[in-house]
Structures are given as structure tokens and as C-alpha cells.
Amino acid sequence: MDAVGVILGFSSYEGLVFGLVAIGVYLTLRVLAFPDLTVDGSYTLGGATSAVLIVKGFNPLVGIIAALVAGLCAGIITAVLNTKLRLPALLAGILMMVGLYSVNLRIMGGANVSLLREPTIFDQAGGLLGIGSNTIGLSIIVALLIVVIVLLILNWFLRTELGLGLRATGDNEEMVRGLGSDTNKNLILGVSIANGLVALAGSVVAQAQGFADVGMGIGMVVMGLASVIIGETLFNPRGVAGLLLAGISGAFIYRLIITIALRLGLAPGDLKLITALLVIAAMAVPYIKKKIRHEWIPPAERW
Amino acid sequence: MGKNASLLQVRGITKIFSKGTVDEVTALDDVSLDVNAEDYITIIGSNGAGKTTLLNVIAGIFPPEEGEVLINGDDITKLPEHRRARYFGRVHQDPKIGTGAKLTIEENLAFALLRGQRRGLKAAINEQRRELFRSTLAPLGLGLESRLDAFVGTLSSGQRQSIALTMATISNPTLLLLDEHVANLDPRTAQIVFDLTEMIVQREKLTTMMITHNMECALKYGNRLIMMHRGKIIVDIGQEDKQKLAINDLINAFEQAAGEKLVDEAILLSRCEL
């Protein structure tokens, strides 16, 4: 495979799995208007939970489902801290992120868990399809399958009566209460689903890379944010399906930029700075454009 | 349901803001009121008289310090806002409060259609509901029935308030609460939204409480008039007396009941443009 093929293939796989994180961030930030920083912790939580279960001899699929459930629970706690105990959303997320660091260490019994000699969903899928389990093609197929399932479910769910309540809650809480829907319940449900997806992504990545590490989630929330903003800026999507696809596409483009940056000789340690600069650029460019055109600009948000 | 109970009973409601501080304000002072089915009450009073606070206590935005709110004889004083929302349709002064800007017209209406009902995993919008939305919006004459997928944030305030009014009434509330709902609109749009309100209230025979800032409007519309002053209801006039009343009689009634001169120029001088 030539260099371009390798870059595109690798970015596709990463865009898909990190697209799940992007969709989680999209759900909290854009659908619920709830800036949730739990993500860094719940991503690792997903990786840690599934890795430990797989090492203990459970089926990798069980590991994935357990990761999802762990993420759902983490999200519930964050949202309860905010809605029932009245902590500001940002603080609730930060506290959860910090607290989950210790929880993840406890779950793994150390800083990392190796899956090198353990069966993963990639091995299972490779066996089913008769493809070698270490090929990029297989990684893409597995990730694509998971992402398609998640997108189909979310695209359906966000259009249901309940899902519409979640979207309305992020839009106008006063209206939602006035029309008889419990905004607290909606927030708890939404933040829970978002962190479930993020933990799912952590579980898939741990199995793909062959280990879970306590630091694997660092920067995930910013990465998800970068993907969402890149997707929105480039595709200017409309409607539920468009926004979901923009999140995935944004993640793909983000990973493409990162992969190319690595190819160009930047060290992995530089990537956090690249990510930060990407988010700054994606958020500031539309503003600067408007400024140049002397358009009216709303005041900066403070969340 | 209690026997012979009024549709809404407000009993001895006291609401104090910033209690125990230097800013303490008694917004409602032992207010009692019986609202009967098909009452169309106009509520008038100066700024700070307690009009909006009364609607807020009825709708459950905040609990009162003392007193009870009963609907059809059931005590709802302690129910949170979202659990009593099935009784109340409400339109606020600001069209932004009653509608979701980032949702489409049909999504807003679909959300309002299920006021107080369980929201499940059925599609929020289907062709049958769309048909209902079109037939509900068509009589407004604003052309909104052909723009169901437009985002409400892109509409004008008049269109948006018409959507808010439709949302408040689409699921037949027990009581319609209107809080100066045309005050923020330009005169022509205010007239349109107000005519729509009259049309819907008459057609659905909705029991209605409408706050207005204007004496002439308060006399012209509705079949019962309440005047509030410093957290109390000081004048309560039914249909027959109301028809005989001129503005001067109303001012006299106020001054007699309040024991002071009416000085709010906005109430006195502004003409009812509606």
C-alpha cells in the first residue's frame, strides 16, 4: 500500500472510533448544551473495564457491553451531580474526570493492562470473515460496523418523542418544563448515553491497540470537541442525521490532519498542541471572517 | 375531583422574595381567587402588583410561602412545574420563552402536542401529526402550514409568538395563562396575534387568565376583570358589571379599594390598540 493509502486507511479507522467520542461530545455539548468533561475519564473507564474482563476470560463482546454500561453509569453520576446536587456542569465533569482516574487505576489494579495474548473483537471478526486480525482493513470493517449501528440507533432515537425531549431540553429548558417534560431526567439520560458511547470507543481502542492504559483518555474531550467543530465548520450540517454525520466526518478529518502531521516528522508529544491549535483555528476563523465583513457578532459564550 | 369545586382555586397565597434580607418583597399577600370554567379573566395592575407572580405560582415556577393551589379540587401546590404542566397552556411576553429556536416548527408542535403525556419511543412526528399541524396552523393565515420544517429561530417575533400560542393551546389545556403576550410585538403583529388568541379562546371555550397593562383592553376583552395592587386583588368584577363600566369607574373603584391615587401613567393613558 502506498503512503497515501496508509494515511487514508489509518485515518478512516481512527476517524470512525474517535467519531464515537465526537458523537458523545456532540450529544452533550450541542444537543443538551451541557459541556461535559467526564469524557477523558469515561473513555479510559471503557478501555479499563473491557480489558480487565477480557483478561479474566470473558468474551470480548461482553467486555464491550460492560464498558458501555460503565460509561452510562459515569454519565448518570455526572448529570446527577449537576441536576440534583446543583454543581455547575463543568465542575461536575472535571470532578468525575479526576475521580475516575483513581477508579480506573483500581479497576486495572495498576497503570495498564495488556491484551497482547488475549482474544479481542478484532480476532473474532477476523475469524468470522477469514481476514488476518492485524490488518487495517479489518479494523475499518469492525469500527464501521459499530459506528453504523450507533448512528442508526441515535438517528432513530433523537427523532422519537423521548429523543425530541432531549433536543428540546438543550434548546429551551423553560419551554420543556412548561410543556410537562422533566429537564433533569432528560439531561441524565442524554449525558448517560454520551458517556456510554465514549466508553464504547475506549473499549474498542483498547482492544485494537492491545492494551488499556490509565492515561489513554487524556485529551479525549478536546479531540471530540475538535471533531465536532471541524465537522460543523466544513459541512454546515442541518438536521439530526446531518449533524451526526458531520461529527464522524469531522473526526476523520481531524485524524487525517494528525496522521499527516506525524508523517511530516512531528513527535507524538506535539499532537496535543496541534489539537489545541486546530480547535482555536476552527472556532476563531468564522469569527475573524465576520469581523472582516463587519457583521454583527454575538458575545463569547462562557460555558 | 371535589364536589362543586371551581376549576381553579387559589387559597391564601403569600409569596415573599428574598425572605429575611433587606431586599425582602411580599409579591403576593394572602391572595385568594376562584376561577370558574369558561371564565376569561383580564388581570390589570401596575408594575410590581404581583400579576406575573400569581401566574408563576399557579403554574408552579416557584412554590408559595403560604397557601394552596387547587385544580378541579386537587391540591397541586407541591407539584413541580413539569408535573402540573398538563393543566396549563402558557404564553409569555417574550416569544423566545415559549418556543425552541433550534427546533423546526413541526418539532415544536410535536413536543407541545404531548404536554403532560408520557413521551415514549414512538416517532415524534408522523404524517398524521403533520396533517394536524397543517390544519391547526392554516387558520392563522400566516402561511406557516407550508413551512413545517423551518427552524423557529428564523421566524419573526410575531410568527414565533403565533407558534407559541398554538403550542399553548394545541393540547387543550384546562387553563390558558397569557402574560402580556402581545406587549413585545409591533402594533400590527400584536393585533394579528391577539385576534388569533380571541379566535382560539372562543372556539375552544378555553378558560383563560390574561395579564394586560392597559385598562381599556382589560375592559374590552374577557368576561371578568381583576385588578391587582401591592400583592393583593383589590377589584374583581364579573361580566354584567364589567359591561357597564367605563375607565373612570375603574379608576374610582381602584382608588376606593386601594385608598390611594392611581399614578401609573402607562395604565391610565395608553389607548387599547387592540
Side-chain angles (χ1 to χ4, degrees), chain B residues 85-164:
Chain B
R86 62 191 161 111
Y87 302 115
F88 305 114
R90 187 165 186 189
V91 189
H92 298 79
Q93 191 168 344
D94 182 354
K96 291 193 182 82
I97 296 177
T99 48
K102 293 181 209 156
L103 302 176
T104 62
I105 292 178
E106 62 183 6
E107 285 169 342
N108 270 281
L109 293 178
F111 191 70
L113 186 64
L114 296 174
R115 171 206 307 286
Q117 292 179 40
R118 238 185 72 85
R119 293 166 203 270
L121 294 176
K122 276 190 296 185
I125 296 166
N126 54 39
E127 211 31 63
Q128 193 189 347
R129 284 184 183 168
R130 269 199 193 106
E131 204 42 60
L132 170 70
F133 301 155
R134 283 193 203 102
S135 63
T136 311
L137 291 174
L140 309 192
L142 297 170
L144 295 171
E145 64 279 8
S146 58
R147 299 178 57 195
L148 287 183
D149 61 349
F151 287 104
V152 165
T154 64
L155 304 179
S156 71
S157 356
Q159 290 171 327
R160 207 163 158 179
Q161 196 67 319
S162 306
I163 296 290

Coordinates of all heavy atoms in Angstrom, one line a residue, chain B residues 85-164:
Chain B
A85 N -47.9 20.7 34.3 CA -48.0 21.4 33.0 C -49.2 20.9 32.2 O -49.6 21.7 31.3 CB -46.7 21.2 32.3
R86 N -49.7 19.7 32.5 CA -50.8 19.2 31.6 C -52.0 20.1 31.8 O -52.9 20.1 31.0 CB -51.1 17.8 31.9 CG -51.5 17.5 33.4 CD -51.5 16.0 33.6 NE -51.5 15.7 35.0 CZ -52.5 15.1 35.6 NH1 -53.7 14.9 35.0 NH2 -52.4 14.8 36.9
Y87 N -52.1 20.8 32.9 CA -53.3 21.7 33.1 C -53.2 23.0 32.4 O -54.2 23.6 32.2 CB -53.5 21.9 34.6 CG -53.7 20.7 35.5 CD1 -52.7 20.4 36.4 CD2 -54.8 19.9 35.3 CE1 -52.9 19.2 37.2 CE2 -55.0 18.8 36.1 CZ -54.0 18.4 37.0 OH -54.2 17.3 37.8
F88 N -51.9 23.5 32.2 CA -51.8 24.9 31.8 C -51.1 25.0 30.5 O -50.1 24.5 30.2 CB -50.9 25.6 32.9 CG -51.4 25.5 34.3 CD1 -50.7 24.8 35.2 CD2 -52.6 26.0 34.6 CE1 -51.2 24.6 36.5 CE2 -53.1 25.9 35.9 CZ -52.4 25.2 36.8
G89 N -51.7 25.9 29.6 CA -51.0 26.4 28.5 C -50.6 27.8 28.8 O -51.4 28.5 29.4
R90 N -49.4 28.2 28.4 CA -49.0 29.5 28.8 C -48.2 30.2 27.7 O -47.5 29.6 27.0 CB -48.0 29.4 30.0 CG -47.6 30.7 30.6 CD -47.0 30.6 31.9 NE -46.8 31.9 32.5 CZ -46.1 32.1 33.6 NH1 -45.6 31.1 34.3 NH2 -46.0 33.3 34.1
V91 N -48.5 31.5 27.5 CA -47.8 32.3 26.5 C -47.2 33.5 27.3 O -47.9 34.2 28.0 CB -48.6 32.8 25.4 CG1 -47.8 33.4 24.3 CG2 -49.5 31.6 24.8
H92 N -45.8 33.6 27.2 CA -45.1 34.7 27.9 C -45.0 35.9 27.0 O -45.3 35.9 25.8 CB -43.7 34.2 28.2 CG -43.7 33.0 29.2 ND1 -43.9 31.7 28.7 CD2 -43.5 32.9 30.5 CE1 -43.8 30.9 29.7 NE2 -43.6 31.6 30.8
Q93 N -44.5 37.0 27.6 CA -44.3 38.2 26.9 C -43.3 38.0 25.8 O -43.4 38.5 24.7 CB -43.9 39.3 27.9 CG -43.9 40.7 27.3 CD -43.7 41.7 28.4 OE1 -43.8 41.4 29.6 NE2 -43.3 42.9 28.0
D94 N -42.2 37.3 26.1 CA -41.1 37.1 25.2 C -41.4 35.8 24.4 O -41.4 34.7 25.0 CB -39.8 37.0 26.0 CG -38.6 36.8 25.1 OD1 -38.8 36.7 23.9 OD2 -37.5 36.8 25.6
P95 N -41.5 35.9 23.1 CA -41.8 34.8 22.2 C -40.7 33.7 22.4 O -41.0 32.5 22.1 CB -41.8 35.3 20.8 CG -42.0 36.8 20.9 CD -41.4 37.2 22.3
K96 N -39.5 34.1 22.8 CA -38.4 33.1 22.8 C -38.6 32.1 24.0 O -38.1 31.0 23.9 CB -37.1 33.9 23.1 CG -36.6 34.7 22.0 CD -35.1 35.1 22.2 CE -34.6 36.0 21.1 NZ -35.0 37.4 21.2
I97 N -39.4 32.5 25.0 CA -39.6 31.6 26.1 C -40.4 30.4 25.8 O -40.2 29.3 26.3 CB -40.2 32.4 27.3 CG1 -39.2 33.5 27.8 CG2 -40.5 31.5 28.5 CD1 -39.7 34.3 28.9
G98 N -41.4 30.6 24.9 CA -42.4 29.6 24.7 C -42.1 28.6 23.5 O -42.8 27.7 23.2
T99 N -41.0 28.9 22.8 CA -40.6 28.1 21.6 C -39.2 27.7 21.7 O -38.4 28.3 22.3 CB -40.9 28.9 20.4 OG1 -40.2 30.2 20.5 CG2 -42.3 29.2 20.1
G100 N -38.9 26.7 20.9 CA -37.5 26.2 20.8 C -36.9 26.7 19.5 O -37.3 26.2 18.4
A101 N -35.9 27.6 19.5 CA -35.3 28.2 18.3 C -34.6 27.2 17.4 O -34.7 27.3 16.2 CB -34.3 29.3 18.7
K102 N -34.0 26.2 18.0 CA -33.2 25.3 17.2 C -34.0 24.1 16.7 O -33.5 23.2 16.1 CB -32.0 24.8 18.0 CG -31.0 25.9 18.3 CD -29.8 25.3 19.1 CE -29.2 26.3 20.0 NZ -28.5 25.7 21.1
L103 N -35.3 24.1 17.0 CA -36.1 23.0 16.6 C -37.0 23.6 15.4 O -37.3 24.8 15.4 CB -37.0 22.5 17.7 CG -36.3 21.9 18.9 CD1 -37.3 21.5 20.0 CD2 -35.4 20.7 18.5
T104 N -37.5 22.7 14.6 CA -38.4 23.2 13.5 C -39.8 23.4 14.0 O -40.1 23.1 15.2 CB -38.5 22.1 12.4 OG1 -39.0 20.9 12.9 CG2 -37.1 21.8 11.8
I105 N -40.6 24.0 13.2 CA -42.0 24.3 13.6 C -42.7 23.0 14.0 O -43.3 22.9 15.0 CB -42.8 25.0 12.4 CG1 -42.2 26.4 12.2 CG2 -44.3 25.0 12.7 CD1 -42.9 27.2 11.1
E106 N -42.5 22.0 13.1 CA -43.2 20.7 13.4 C -42.7 20.1 14.7 O -43.4 19.4 15.4 CB -43.2 19.8 12.2 CG -41.9 19.3 11.8 CD -42.0 18.4 10.5 OE1 -43.1 18.3 9.9 OE2 -40.9 17.9 10.1
E107 N -41.4 20.2 14.9 CA -40.8 19.6 16.1 C -41.4 20.3 17.4 O -41.7 19.7 18.4 CB -39.3 19.7 16.1 CG -38.7 18.6 15.2 CD -37.2 18.8 14.9 OE1 -36.7 19.9 15.1 OE2 -36.6 17.9 14.4
N108 N -41.4 21.7 17.3 CA -42.0 22.4 18.4 C -43.5 22.0 18.7 O -43.8 21.7 19.8 CB -42.0 23.9 18.1 CG -40.7 24.6 18.6 OD1 -40.6 24.9 19.7 ND2 -39.8 24.8 17.6
L109 N -44.2 21.9 17.6 CA -45.6 21.5 17.8 C -45.8 20.1 18.3 O -46.6 19.8 19.2 CB -46.4 21.7 16.5 CG -46.6 23.1 16.0 CD1 -47.3 23.2 14.7 CD2 -47.3 24.0 17.0
A110 N -44.9 19.2 17.8 CA -45.0 17.8 18.2 C -44.6 17.7 19.7 O -45.2 16.9 20.5 CB -44.0 16.9 17.4
F111 N -43.7 18.5 20.1 CA -43.3 18.5 21.6 C -44.5 19.0 22.4 O -44.8 18.5 23.5 CB -42.1 19.3 21.8 CG -41.5 19.2 23.2 CD1 -40.9 18.0 23.5 CD2 -41.6 20.2 24.1 CE1 -40.4 17.8 24.8 CE2 -41.1 20.0 25.4 CZ -40.5 18.8 25.7
A112 N -45.1 20.1 21.9 CA -46.3 20.6 22.7 C -47.5 19.7 22.7 O -48.3 19.7 23.6 CB -46.6 22.0 22.1
L113 N -47.7 19.0 21.6 CA -48.8 18.1 21.5 C -48.9 17.1 22.6 O -50.0 16.7 23.0 CB -48.7 17.3 20.1 CG -49.9 16.5 19.7 CD1 -51.1 17.3 19.5 CD2 -49.6 15.7 18.4
L114 N -47.7 16.7 23.1 CA -47.7 15.7 24.2 C -47.6 16.3 25.6 O -47.0 15.7 26.5 CB -46.5 14.8 23.9 CG -46.6 13.9 22.7 CD1 -45.3 13.2 22.4 CD2 -47.7 13.0 22.7
R115 N -48.0 17.5 25.7 CA -48.0 18.2 27.0 C -48.5 17.3 28.1 O -49.7 16.8 28.0 CB -48.8 19.5 27.0 CG -49.0 20.1 28.3 CD -50.2 20.9 28.4 NE -50.3 21.9 27.3 CZ -49.6 23.0 27.3 NH1 -48.8 23.3 28.3 NH2 -49.7 23.8 26.3
G116 N -47.7 17.0 29.1 CA -48.2 16.2 30.3 C -48.4 14.7 30.0 O -48.9 14.0 30.8
Q117 N -48.1 14.3 28.8 CA -48.3 12.8 28.5 C -46.9 12.2 28.6 O -45.9 12.8 28.5 CB -48.9 12.6 27.1 CG -50.3 13.1 27.0 CD -50.8 12.9 25.6 OE1 -50.5 11.9 24.9 NE2 -51.6 13.8 25.1
R118 N -46.9 10.8 28.6 CA -45.7 10.1 28.6 C -45.1 10.2 27.2 O -45.7 10.1 26.2 CB -46.0 8.6 28.9 CG -45.2 8.1 30.1 CD -45.5 6.6 30.1 NE -44.8 5.9 29.1 CZ -43.5 5.5 29.2 NH1 -42.8 5.7 30.3 NH2 -42.9 4.8 28.2
R119 N -43.8 10.5 27.2 CA -43.1 10.6 26.0 C -42.3 9.3 25.8 O -41.4 9.0 26.6 CB -42.1 11.8 25.9 CG -42.9 13.1 26.0 CD -42.1 14.3 26.3 NE -42.9 15.4 26.8 CZ -43.5 16.3 26.1 NH1 -43.3 16.4 24.8 NH2 -44.2 17.3 26.7
G120 N -42.6 8.6 24.7 CA -42.0 7.3 24.6 C -41.1 7.1 23.4 O -40.5 8.1 22.9
L121 N -41.0 5.9 22.8 CA -40.1 5.7 21.7 C -40.8 5.6 20.4 O -40.3 5.1 19.4 CB -39.3 4.4 22.0 CG -38.4 4.5 23.2 CD1 -37.8 3.1 23.5 CD2 -37.3 5.5 23.0
K122 N -42.0 6.2 20.3 CA -42.7 6.4 19.0 C -42.0 7.6 18.3 O -41.6 8.5 19.0 CB -44.2 6.6 19.2 CG -44.9 5.3 19.4 CD -46.4 5.6 19.3 CE -46.9 6.5 20.4 NZ -48.3 6.7 20.5
A123 N -42.1 7.6 17.0 CA -41.6 8.7 16.2 C -42.4 9.9 16.7 O -43.6 9.9 16.8 CB -41.8 8.5 14.8
A124 N -41.7 11.0 17.0 CA -42.3 12.3 17.4 C -43.2 12.8 16.4 O -44.2 13.5 16.7 CB -41.3 13.3 17.9
I125 N -42.8 12.6 15.1 CA -43.6 13.2 14.0 C -43.9 12.1 13.0 O -43.1 11.3 12.6 CB -42.7 14.3 13.3 CG1 -42.4 15.5 14.3 CG2 -43.4 14.8 12.0 CD1 -41.3 16.4 13.8
N126 N -45.2 12.1 12.7 CA -45.6 11.2 11.6 C -46.6 12.0 10.7 O -47.0 13.1 11.0 CB -46.3 9.9 12.1 CG -47.4 10.2 13.1 OD1 -48.2 11.2 12.9 ND2 -47.5 9.5 14.2
E127 N -47.0 11.4 9.6 CA -47.8 12.1 8.6 C -49.1 12.5 9.2 O -49.6 13.6 8.9 CB -48.0 11.2 7.4 CG -48.2 11.9 6.1 CD -47.3 13.2 6.0 OE1 -46.1 13.2 6.1 OE2 -48.0 14.3 5.8
Q128 N -49.7 11.7 10.1 CA -51.0 12.1 10.7 C -50.8 13.4 11.6 O -51.7 14.3 11.5 CB -51.4 10.9 11.6 CG -52.8 11.0 12.1 CD -53.1 9.9 13.1 OE1 -52.3 9.0 13.3 NE2 -54.2 10.0 13.8
R129 N -49.7 13.4 12.3 CA -49.5 14.6 13.2 C -49.2 15.8 12.3 O -49.6 16.9 12.6 CB -48.3 14.4 14.1 CG -48.7 13.5 15.3 CD -47.6 13.3 16.3 NE -48.1 12.4 17.4 CZ -47.4 11.8 18.3 NH1 -46.1 12.0 18.3 NH2 -47.9 11.0 19.2
R130 N -48.4 15.6 11.2 CA -48.2 16.7 10.3 C -49.5 17.3 9.8 O -49.6 18.5 9.7 CB -47.3 16.2 9.1 CG -45.9 16.4 9.3 CD -45.0 16.3 8.1 NE -43.7 16.1 8.5 CZ -43.0 15.0 8.3 NH1 -43.5 13.9 7.7 NH2 -41.8 14.9 8.8
E131 N -50.4 16.4 9.4 CA -51.7 16.8 8.9 C -52.4 17.7 10.0 O -53.0 18.7 9.7 CB -52.5 15.6 8.5 CG -53.6 15.8 7.5 CD -53.1 16.7 6.4 OE1 -52.1 16.4 5.7 OE2 -53.7 17.8 6.2
L132 N -52.3 17.2 11.2 CA -52.9 18.0 12.3 C -52.3 19.4 12.4 O -53.0 20.4 12.6 CB -52.8 17.2 13.6 CG -53.2 18.0 14.9 CD1 -54.7 18.2 15.0 CD2 -52.7 17.2 16.2
F133 N -50.9 19.4 12.3 CA -50.2 20.7 12.5 C -50.6 21.7 11.3 O -50.9 22.8 11.6 CB -48.7 20.5 12.4 CG -48.2 19.6 13.5 CD1 -47.0 18.9 13.4 CD2 -48.9 19.5 14.7 CE1 -46.5 18.1 14.4 CE2 -48.5 18.6 15.7 CZ -47.3 17.9 15.6
R134 N -50.7 21.1 10.1 CA -51.1 21.9 9.0 C -52.5 22.5 9.2 O -52.7 23.7 9.0 CB -51.1 21.1 7.7 CG -49.7 20.9 7.2 CD -49.7 20.4 5.7 NE -48.4 19.7 5.5 CZ -48.3 18.4 5.4 NH1 -49.4 17.6 5.6 NH2 -47.1 17.8 5.2
S135 N -53.4 21.7 9.6 CA -54.8 22.2 9.8 C -54.9 23.1 11.0 O -55.8 23.9 11.0 CB -55.8 21.0 9.9 OG -55.5 20.2 11.1
T136 N -54.0 23.0 12.0 CA -54.1 23.9 13.1 C -53.5 25.3 12.7 O -53.9 26.3 13.1 CB -53.3 23.3 14.3 OG1 -53.7 22.0 14.5 CG2 -53.5 24.1 15.5
L137 N -52.4 25.2 11.9 CA -51.7 26.5 11.5 C -52.4 27.2 10.4 O -52.3 28.5 10.3 CB -50.3 26.2 11.1 CG -49.3 25.7 12.2 CD1 -48.0 25.3 11.6 CD2 -49.1 26.8 13.2
A138 N -53.1 26.5 9.5 CA -53.7 27.2 8.3 C -54.7 28.3 8.7 O -54.6 29.4 8.1 CB -54.5 26.1 7.5
P139 N -55.6 28.2 9.7 CA -56.5 29.3 10.0 C -55.7 30.5 10.5 O -56.3 31.6 10.5 CB -57.3 28.7 11.2 CG -57.2 27.2 11.1 CD -55.8 27.0 10.6
L140 N -54.5 30.4 10.9 CA -53.8 31.6 11.4 C -53.5 32.6 10.2 O -53.2 33.7 10.4 CB -52.4 31.2 12.0 CG -52.4 30.2 13.1 CD1 -51.1 30.2 13.8 CD2 -53.5 30.4 14.1
G141 N -53.5 32.0 9.0 CA -53.3 32.8 7.8 C -51.9 33.4 7.7 O -51.7 34.4 7.0
L142 N -50.9 32.7 8.3 CA -49.5 33.2 8.2 C -48.7 32.4 7.2 O -47.5 32.7 7.1 CB -48.9 33.2 9.6 CG -49.5 34.1 10.6 CD1 -49.0 33.9 12.0 CD2 -49.4 35.6 10.3
G143 N -49.3 31.4 6.7 CA -48.5 30.6 5.7 C -47.6 29.6 6.4 O -46.7 29.0 5.7
L144 N -47.6 29.5 7.7 CA -46.7 28.6 8.4 C -47.0 27.2 8.1 O -46.0 26.3 8.3 CB -46.8 28.9 9.9 CG -46.3 30.3 10.4 CD1 -46.6 30.5 11.8 CD2 -44.8 30.5 10.1
E145 N -48.2 26.8 7.7 CA -48.5 25.4 7.5 C -47.7 24.8 6.3 O -47.5 23.6 6.3 CB -50.0 25.3 7.2 CG -50.5 25.9 5.9 CD -50.8 27.4 6.1 OE1 -50.5 28.0 7.1 OE2 -51.4 28.0 5.2
S146 N -47.2 25.7 5.5 CA -46.3 25.1 4.4 C -44.8 25.2 4.7 O -44.0 25.0 3.9 CB -46.6 25.9 3.1 OG -46.4 27.3 3.3
R147 N -44.5 25.6 5.9 CA -43.1 25.8 6.3 C -42.8 25.0 7.6 O -42.0 25.4 8.4 CB -42.8 27.2 6.6 CG -43.0 28.1 5.4 CD -42.7 29.6 5.7 NE -41.4 29.8 6.2 CZ -41.0 30.9 6.9 NH1 -41.8 31.9 7.0 NH2 -39.7 31.0 7.3
L148 N -43.4 23.8 7.7 CA -43.3 23.0 8.9 C -41.8 22.7 9.3 O -41.5 22.5 10.4 CB -44.1 21.7 8.8 CG -45.6 21.8 8.8 CD1 -46.2 20.4 8.7 CD2 -46.0 22.5 10.1
D149 N -40.9 22.6 8.2 CA -39.6 22.2 8.6 C -38.7 23.4 8.7 O -37.4 23.3 8.7 CB -39.0 21.2 7.5 CG -39.0 21.8 6.1 OD1 -39.6 22.9 5.9 OD2 -38.4 21.2 5.3
A150 N -39.2 24.6 8.8 CA -38.4 25.8 9.1 C -38.0 25.9 10.6 O -38.8 25.5 11.4 CB -39.2 27.1 8.7
F151 N -36.8 26.3 10.8 CA -36.4 26.4 12.2 C -37.1 27.7 12.8 O -37.2 28.7 12.2 CB -34.9 26.6 12.3 CG -34.1 25.3 12.1 CD1 -33.5 25.1 10.9 CD2 -34.1 24.3 13.1 CE1 -32.8 23.9 10.7 CE2 -33.5 23.1 12.8 CZ -32.8 22.9 11.6
V152 N -37.6 27.5 14.0 CA -38.4 28.5 14.7 C -37.5 29.8 14.9 O -38.0 30.9 14.9 CB -39.1 28.0 15.9 CG1 -39.6 29.1 16.8 CG2 -40.2 27.1 15.6
G153 N -36.2 29.6 15.1 CA -35.3 30.7 15.3 C -35.2 31.7 14.1 O -34.8 32.8 14.3
T154 N -35.7 31.2 13.0 CA -35.6 32.0 11.8 C -36.9 32.8 11.5 O -37.0 33.6 10.6 CB -35.3 31.2 10.5 OG1 -36.5 30.3 10.3 CG2 -34.1 30.3 10.6
L155 N -37.9 32.6 12.4 CA -39.2 33.3 12.2 C -39.2 34.7 12.8 O -38.3 35.0 13.7 CB -40.3 32.5 12.8 CG -40.5 31.0 12.3 CD1 -41.7 30.4 13.1 CD2 -40.7 31.0 10.8
S156 N -40.1 35.5 12.4 CA -40.2 36.8 13.0 C -40.9 36.7 14.4 O -41.4 35.6 14.7 CB -41.1 37.7 12.2 OG -42.4 37.3 12.2
S157 N -40.8 37.7 15.3 CA -41.4 37.5 16.6 C -42.8 37.3 16.6 O -43.4 36.5 17.4 CB -41.1 38.7 17.5 OG -40.3 39.7 16.9
G158 N -43.6 37.9 15.6 CA -45.0 37.7 15.5 C -45.3 36.2 15.1 O -46.2 35.6 15.7
Q159 N -44.6 35.7 14.1 CA -44.8 34.3 13.7 C -44.4 33.4 14.9 O -45.1 32.4 15.2 CB -43.9 34.0 12.5 CG -44.3 34.7 11.3 CD -43.3 34.5 10.2 OE1 -42.0 34.5 10.4 NE2 -43.7 34.5 8.9
R160 N -43.3 33.8 15.6 CA -42.9 32.9 16.7 C -43.9 32.9 17.8 O -44.2 31.9 18.4 CB -41.5 33.5 17.2 CG -40.7 32.4 17.8 CD -39.3 32.8 17.9 NE -38.7 31.9 18.9 CZ -37.4 31.9 19.3 NH1 -36.6 32.8 18.7 NH2 -37.0 31.1 20.2
Q161 N -44.5 34.1 18.1 CA -45.5 34.1 19.2 C -46.8 33.4 18.7 O -47.4 32.8 19.6 CB -45.8 35.6 19.5 CG -46.5 35.8 20.9 CD -45.7 35.4 22.1 OE1 -45.0 34.4 22.1 NE2 -45.7 36.2 23.1
S162 N -47.1 33.4 17.4 CA -48.2 32.6 17.0 C -48.0 31.1 17.2 O -48.9 30.4 17.5 CB -48.5 32.9 15.5 OG -48.6 34.3 15.3
I163 N -46.7 30.7 16.9 CA -46.4 29.3 17.2 C -46.5 29.0 18.7 O -47.0 28.0 19.1 CB -44.9 29.0 16.7 CG1 -44.8 29.2 15.2 CG2 -44.5 27.6 17.1 CD1 -45.5 28.1 14.4
A164 N -46.0 30.0 19.5 CA -46.1 29.8 21.0 C -47.5 29.6 21.4 O -47.9 28.8 22.2 CB -45.4 30.9 21.7

